[in-house]
Amino acid sequence: MGILIKGVFTPDRKKATIYIEENIIQSINDEMYKDDFVIDGNRKLILPAFYNTHTHLSMSLFRGIVEDMWLKDWLEKVVWPMEKHINEEYVYWGAMLGGLELIRSGIAAIADMYFFMDKVSEALELLGLRGVLGTTIFEFPSPEAETPEDAFKIVENFAKKYKNRELIKPSIAPHSIYSCNIEILQQAKEIADRYGLLVQIHLSETKWEVYEVQKRYGKRPVELLESIGFLDKNVLAAHAVWLTKAEIRTLAKYDVKVSHNPVSNLKLASGGVMPYPEMKEYGVLVTLGTDGVASNNNFDMFEEMKVFAISQKNHRWDPTIAKAKEVFKVATENGAKALGFKAGRVEEGYLADLVLIDLNSPHLKPFYDPITLAVYSMRAGDVDGLIVNGKPLMLNREILVVNEDKLMEKAERKAFELYEKVMGVVK
Amino acid sequence: MGILIKGVFTPDRKKATIYIEENIIQSINDEMYKDDFVIDGNRKLILPAFYNTHTHLSMSLFRGIVEDMWLKDWLEKVVWPMEKHINEEYVYWGAMLGGLELIRSGIAAIADMYFFMDKVSEALELLGLRGVLGTTIFEFPSPEAETPEDAFKIVENFAKKYKNRELIKPSIAPHSIYSCNIEILQQAKEIADRYGLLVQIHLSETKWEVYEVQKRYGKRPVELLESIGFLDKNVLAAHAVWLTKAEIRTLAKYDVKVSHNPVSNLKLASGGVMPYPEMKEYGVLVTLGTDGVASNNNFDMFEEMKVFAISQKNHRWDPTIAKAKEVFKVATENGAKALGFKAGRVEEGYLADLVLIDLNSPHLKPFYDPITLAVYSMRAGDVDGLIVNGKPLMLNREILVVNEDKLMEKAERKAFELYEKVMGVVK
């Protein structure tokens, strides 16, 4: 019982037949299959699916409520008042809406930071998507936990319950240095090590954060994290914009992974541009993330790759920086590696997390190098199919695993309901 | 005989019925129509179509040949060797491929600079798209003309022949200050005034250009153009990145229009970011363009709006700059105004250049403000229909005016043929 994708273009522009069994790419162009389920690859391109390494999936309910504001206003006027009403139900419907978009965007896996992760798991497992799910920890009350201690208990229970799931990996997410004191950061790291969890943290996203940490501790953020024993190979730092070269060397030394979120950084006007050339030079594993759609405002990893490439080029006045092939690798293979999956390549022995692209569109002609096209010309709207863990979730633009229309409509009603609790009637 | 679009969401999120007759939006929510042709607007949003004010449409044949190079290498190794072989036939097929993409991207009109404009007109008129078409003038031979005098003759003939077309407006395009001497610039302006043409020119795209002009003339580009009497309300300057405040004031004084091309500027690593806040402050009419797909690499005006907004915000460390509503106006109404059309608004009396958006997708939920969604969440893949000059060119994602598949295939064959003359066999 397997899946055969016939006559599809591979990332190196060869025609191939790809055989998937269980959840693995078993063979490419080996004629010995039992072709139980055949997908016609004609006029299609197969790519590794994206690994989106920084999201707040359930915040999909907050998309586009207000825009073009200072971060402080946006948090105080919208996000925090909305999050006062956040509960398991809203988290589920936000994850469902976000999850449907992930499928349509060719994203196989996310590293997510939010609350009520049981509910996020429920939505992702129903949809067939992977999630590395980190309950967010604050030094103050969260929508889910009155105290950090309560939050740690939630993390531990979640870690035990979801220990052996195929699609879900428990994680822990101390929110940031400015919102977690040292004790909390250390305790989070200790729990992560005990349960084998990935630690997700927002790091040096804004210059405000750097000043704040320096004021409080007399150290820059990475220096502080090093001094308290936090830095390690199981740490995934999101944003990582405002860093010195010394800090980047420190991240490299401890094999900390970085999630670069260019669209969110530019949109929120963090200022500066993530120091990618130095990260590359010193050997930091850089991955790509969209952040939540409340600050993006979509999960389009094609757009994210392009903005990554062109913002790096312009910032350094050098068009040879962030070449298409390496940008694509950052968005796929590097992300998979950071999250602990053998995926991100269309190769035998890799996980069958694959995207099918409809090549039959004028903006994808002429068809020379598929990766160049993927980074500079494609968008999520070109995604025709998605296979995750060997299972087709969408084919011919039709989502196979759930009734998309019904769920989308319900999720939107829930978004409106939440909106009206804070912002007034939807006009 | 008219077109009735029933029950569609307007840009201000009202449900409306829109009646089009001839090429004009005749009425909105007036129940007195003779509904000859009905378009179901259910779950759709209507927006004004885009006016893309800087393209090299026929260079669509050059999409993605090589990337991530210095501009000089890219020109010397690819563009110029390819352009040695450019002829009427390639220009036609490039324009056809590009034109199909324009339709799928919701673009009603372009301001184009290239060669063999008879052929570009032919393609655009067949497709039903508007073009303000400027034959490019150099001080050296072009693919079309041995001398500037020959090029001027071509412009004059084109201006006479296309004087009264509905969709095509002749224009003249002295390429840039660094590739046209003063006499040529003045002669181009003189011909433009005589025939009532828009003058398109590349202006201050790179810092190299500014240095070069200063070296040659002892003046900055805008100062030079002012001193030779070139600046005027019929001038459309593309790029306009490297300007002083004094130069921006000068552009405003003469009512020169600007085409901002953020994706191309970032991708080619021009460095810096177009001084939009100052243009706005001093009253320059800013419009939006994609540039050619050889340096973009698509005609996605949604992407262009988003990159415009987020690059401005980040560059000035201020998220309140380039708000969604003004960015959208720049891409639609401002563009139409610069090109001399009363379009860019869904309002009675405006030209019926309209886009239909398929709202039935998770990345467009929840549906609050349509313009916020358009700028930050949509992409060209959401375009479901396009009406230009009152004529539906695409409905339900199907191009109605030509056989898209057949033309796309032919155009790709032509692209490969041209590629092989310079680059070797397509692998």
Side-chain angles (χ1 to χ4, degrees):
Chain A
M1 172 68 185
I3 295 172
L4 197 63
I5 306 169
K6 278 193 171 169
V8 73
F9 277 109
T10 59
D12 55 358
R13 205 182 181 279
K14 303 261 194 298
K15 277 267 190 176
T17 294
I18 292 170
Y19 183 66
I20 297 164
E21 203 175 88
E22 300 292 333
N23 56 353
I24 303 290
I25 302 169
Q26 299 291 347
S27 64
I28 296 175
N29 289 334
D30 172 352
E31 295 302 320
M32 306 287 291
Y33 330 97
K34 327 155 267 183
D35 45 342
D36 290 308
F37 184 80
V38 175
I39 296 170
D40 178 10
N42 186 37
R43 297 178 131 192
K44 284 173 193 164
L45 167 69
I46 198 159
L47 294 173
F50 295 108
Y51 273 63
N52 182 351
T53 58
H54 186 56
T55 61
H56 309 284
L57 190 64
S58 297
M59 289 180 83
S60 297
L61 296 187
F62 299 0
R63 186 195 328 260
I65 294 177
V66 289
E67 294 295 334
D68 308 316
M69 287 170 110
W70 288 99
L71 182 61
K72 191 169 171 289
D73 292 338
W74 181 73
L75 289 171
E76 290 177 1
K77 289 180 188 163
V78 185
V79 177
W80 292 339
M82 297 285 272
E83 287 191 342
K84 277 198 184 138
H85 300 277
I86 276 288
N87 57 28
E88 294 198 320
E89 195 187 8
Y90 289 127
V91 164
Y92 177 79
W93 286 104
M96 181 55 73
L97 180 62
L100 292 170
E101 184 183 350
L102 294 175
I103 293 178
R104 292 212 165 267
S105 308
I107 297 168
I110 55 170
D112 197 62
M113 294 174 75
Y114 211 58
F115 313 104
F116 303 111
M117 282 303 176
D118 272 295
K119 290 296 164 184
V120 179
S121 306
E122 205 181 298
L124 291 180
E125 288 186 323
L126 179 62
L127 293 170
L129 293 165
R130 299 186 195 280
V132 178
L133 305 181
T135 298
T136 308
I137 318 282
F138 294 121
E139 62 190 27
F140 39 81
S142 85
E144 187 178 14
E146 269 305 304
T147 66
E149 288 66 39
D150 291 351
F152 287 133
K153 267 178 222 136
I154 290 167
V155 170
E156 292 191 70
N157 288 335
F158 186 71
K160 286 172 200 160
K161 186 172 165 195
Y162 282 83
K163 204 175 152 185
N164 292 311
R165 300 293 178 110
E166 212 168 351
L167 296 172
I168 305 298
K169 285 191 187 186
S171 164
I172 186 167
H175 176 267
S176 62
I177 305 177
Y178 58 88
S179 61
C180 294
N181 62 42
I182 290 177
E183 207 171 72
I184 295 173
L185 292 170
Q186 288 177 321
Q187 203 174 338
K189 178 64 168 70
E190 192 274 318
I191 290 172
D193 291 344
R194 188 163 2 123
Y195 290 94
L197 312 180
L198 187 79
V199 187
Q200 303 179 54
I201 187 167
H202 294 103
L203 181 68
S204 295
E205 178 177 1
T206 62
K207 56 190 188 310
W208 172 86
E209 175 182 342
V210 177
Y211 294 146
E212 185 65 20
V213 172
Q214 277 183 315
K215 202 166 68 183
R216 238 196 258 184
Y217 299 108
K219 291 191 172 81
R220 292 184 63 94
V222 173
E223 293 167 352
L224 177 77
L225 291 181
E226 184 182 27
S227 73
I228 65 168
F230 188 90
L231 298 181
D232 207 344
K233 62 182 188 304
N234 64 346
V235 174
L236 173 64
H239 300 294
V241 176
W242 289 93
L243 299 172
T244 62
K245 287 191 181 181
E247 286 180 289
I248 300 168
R249 280 196 204 95
T250 303
L251 293 178
K253 179 177 155 193
Y254 292 97
D255 196 16
V256 171
K257 280 73 177 173
V258 162
S259 176
H260 177 35
N261 307 158
V263 171
S264 169
N265 294 154
L266 295 177
K267 184 159 181 282
L268 295 175
S270 306
V273 170
M274 195 272 258
Y276 172 67
E278 290 74 19
M279 297 227 182
K280 194 177 147 189
E281 185 185 345
Y282 304 147
V284 176
L285 186 79
V286 176
T287 69
L288 199 64
T290 55
D291 207 348
V293 301
S295 57
N296 184 309
N297 299 348
N298 61 38
F299 291 126
D300 189 336
M301 289 286 278
F302 294 96
E303 180 184 295
E304 204 73 35
M305 289 195 294
K306 186 166 181 177
V307 171
F308 169 25
I310 68 179
S311 60
Q312 288 295 331
K313 290 174 195 304
N314 194 61
H315 190 59
R316 303 301 178 113
W317 297 16
D318 183 350
T320 69
I321 288 182
K323 292 191 164 82
K325 281 212 165 26
E326 71 187 78
V327 166
F328 189 77
K329 184 164 173 275
V330 163
T332 53
E333 195 180 353
N334 285 14
K337 201 170 166 193
L339 304 191
F341 295 95
K342 189 182 174 186
R345 299 183 71 88
V346 184
E347 270 182 35
E348 291 173 12
Y350 277 72
L351 281 172
D353 291 359
L354 298 164
V355 171
L356 287 159
I357 300 294
D358 176 4
L359 287 173
N360 199 34
S361 195
H363 72 290
L364 303 180
K365 308 280 175 198
F367 178 54
Y368 298 118
D369 175 50
I371 302 304
T372 296
L373 269 185
V375 174
Y376 295 124
S377 302
M378 283 179 202
R379 48 215 171 217
D382 299 317
V383 172
D384 188 80
L386 178 69
I387 295 167
V388 177
N389 204 38
K391 183 179 174 190
L393 309 185
M394 179 168 80
L395 288 176
N396 302 313
R397 296 176 193 262
E398 196 191 335
I399 294 185
L400 308 170
V401 282
V402 292
N403 182 330
E404 183 188 22
D405 266 9
K406 212 174 117 187
L407 293 176
M408 198 160 62
E409 205 182 292
K410 178 91 185 269
E412 190 177 43
R413 277 207 308 278
K414 286 287 153 192
F416 288 160
E417 185 184 297
L418 180 59
Y419 180 96
E420 295 193 346
K421 287 181 180 175
V422 178
M423 313 287 290
V425 176
V426 177
K427 275 177 289 231
Chain B
M1 172 69 184
I3 296 171
L4 197 63
I5 307 170
K6 279 192 171 170
V8 73
F9 277 110
T10 58
D12 55 358
R13 204 180 181 280
K14 305 261 192 300
K15 277 266 190 175
T17 294
I18 292 170
Y19 183 66
I20 297 164
E21 204 174 88
E22 299 293 332
N23 57 352
I24 303 289
I25 302 171
Q26 299 290 347
S27 64
I28 297 175
N29 288 334
D30 172 352
E31 294 302 320
M32 307 287 292
Y33 328 99
K34 326 156 269 181
D35 44 347
D36 290 309
F37 184 80
V38 175
I39 296 170
D40 179 9
N42 188 37
R43 295 178 129 191
K44 285 175 192 162
L45 167 69
I46 197 159
L47 294 173
F50 294 109
Y51 272 63
N52 182 350
T53 57
H54 186 56
T55 61
H56 309 282
L57 191 65
S58 297
M59 290 179 81
S60 298
L61 296 187
F62 299 0
R63 187 195 327 260
I65 294 176
V66 288
E67 294 295 335
D68 308 317
M69 288 170 109
W70 289 101
L71 182 61
K72 190 168 173 290
D73 291 338
W74 180 73
L75 288 171
E76 288 176 2
K77 288 181 191 165
V78 184
V79 177
W80 292 340
M82 298 284 273
E83 287 190 340
K84 276 198 187 140
H85 300 277
I86 275 288
N87 58 27
E88 293 199 322
E89 194 186 8
Y90 289 127
V91 164
Y92 178 79
W93 286 105
M96 182 55 73
L97 180 62
L100 292 170
E101 185 183 351
L102 294 175
I103 293 177
R104 292 213 164 267
S105 308
I107 297 168
I110 55 170
D112 198 61
M113 293 174 74
Y114 212 57
F115 312 104
F116 303 112
M117 282 304 175
D118 272 295
K119 288 298 167 182
V120 178
S121 307
E122 203 180 302
L124 290 180
E125 288 187 323
L126 180 62
L127 294 169
L129 293 165
R130 299 185 196 280
V132 178
L133 305 182
T135 298
T136 307
I137 317 284
F138 292 122
E139 62 190 28
F140 41 81
S142 85
E144 187 177 14
E146 270 304 305
T147 65
E149 288 66 39
D150 292 350
F152 287 133
K153 266 178 224 137
I154 290 167
V155 170
E156 293 191 70
N157 288 335
F158 186 72
K160 287 174 202 161
K161 186 170 165 196
Y162 282 82
K163 203 174 153 188
N164 293 311
R165 299 294 177 111
E166 213 169 351
L167 297 172
I168 305 297
K169 284 191 188 187
S171 164
I172 186 167
H175 177 268
S176 61
I177 304 177
Y178 59 87
S179 60
C180 294
N181 61 42
I182 289 177
E183 205 172 77
I184 295 173
L185 292 170
Q186 287 176 320
Q187 202 174 339
K189 179 65 170 68
E190 193 273 318
I191 290 173
D193 291 345
R194 188 163 3 124
Y195 291 93
L197 312 181
L198 188 78
V199 187
Q200 302 179 56
I201 187 166
H202 294 103
L203 180 67
S204 295
E205 178 177 2
T206 61
K207 56 191 187 311
W208 172 86
E209 175 181 341
V210 176
Y211 295 145
E212 185 65 21
V213 173
Q214 278 184 315
K215 202 168 66 184
R216 235 195 262 183
Y217 300 107
K219 293 192 172 81
R220 293 184 63 92
V222 173
E223 293 167 353
L224 176 76
L225 291 181
E226 185 183 25
S227 73
I228 64 167
F230 188 90
L231 298 181
D232 207 342
K233 62 182 189 305
N234 65 345
V235 174
L236 173 64
H239 301 294
V241 177
W242 290 94
L243 299 172
T244 62
K245 287 190 183 183
E247 287 180 289
I248 300 169
R249 280 196 206 98
T250 303
L251 294 178
K253 180 177 153 192
Y254 291 96
D255 197 14
V256 171
K257 279 74 178 174
V258 162
S259 176
H260 178 34
N261 307 158
V263 171
S264 169
N265 294 153
L266 295 177
K267 184 159 180 283
L268 295 175
S270 306
V273 170
M274 193 272 260
Y276 172 68
E278 290 74 18
M279 298 229 182
K280 195 177 145 188
E281 186 185 343
Y282 305 146
V284 176
L285 186 79
V286 177
T287 70
L288 199 65
T290 55
D291 208 345
V293 302
S295 57
N296 183 310
N297 298 355
N298 61 37
F299 291 127
D300 190 336
M301 289 286 278
F302 294 95
E303 181 185 294
E304 204 74 35
M305 289 195 294
K306 187 167 181 177
V307 171
F308 169 25
I310 69 179
S311 60
Q312 288 295 331
K313 290 173 196 303
N314 195 60
H315 190 59
R316 302 303 177 112
W317 297 18
D318 182 351
T320 69
I321 288 181
K323 291 190 165 81
K325 282 213 166 21
E326 70 187 78
V327 166
F328 189 76
K329 185 166 172 274
V330 163
T332 53
E333 196 181 349
N334 285 13
K337 201 172 164 189
L339 304 192
F341 295 95
K342 189 182 175 187
R345 300 182 71 90
V346 183
E347 272 181 35
E348 292 174 10
Y350 276 72
L351 281 173
D353 290 359
L354 299 164
V355 170
L356 287 159
I357 300 294
D358 176 5
L359 287 174
N360 199 36
S361 194
H363 72 287
L364 303 180
K365 308 282 177 197
F367 177 54
Y368 298 119
D369 175 48
I371 301 305
T372 297
L373 270 183
V375 174
Y376 295 125
S377 302
M378 283 179 201
R379 46 213 172 220
D382 299 317
V383 172
D384 188 78
L386 178 68
I387 295 168
V388 176
N389 205 36
K391 183 178 173 189
L393 308 185
M394 179 168 79
L395 288 176
N396 302 312
R397 295 176 193 264
E398 195 191 333
I399 293 183
L400 308 170
V401 282
V402 294
N403 182 331
E404 183 187 22
D405 267 9
K406 212 175 116 187
L407 292 177
M408 199 159 62
E409 207 181 289
K410 177 91 186 269
E412 191 178 43
R413 278 208 307 277
K414 287 286 152 192
F416 288 161
E417 185 185 297
L418 179 60
Y419 180 97
E420 294 193 347
K421 287 184 179 174
V422 177
M423 312 287 290
V425 176
V426 178
K427 275 180 290 234

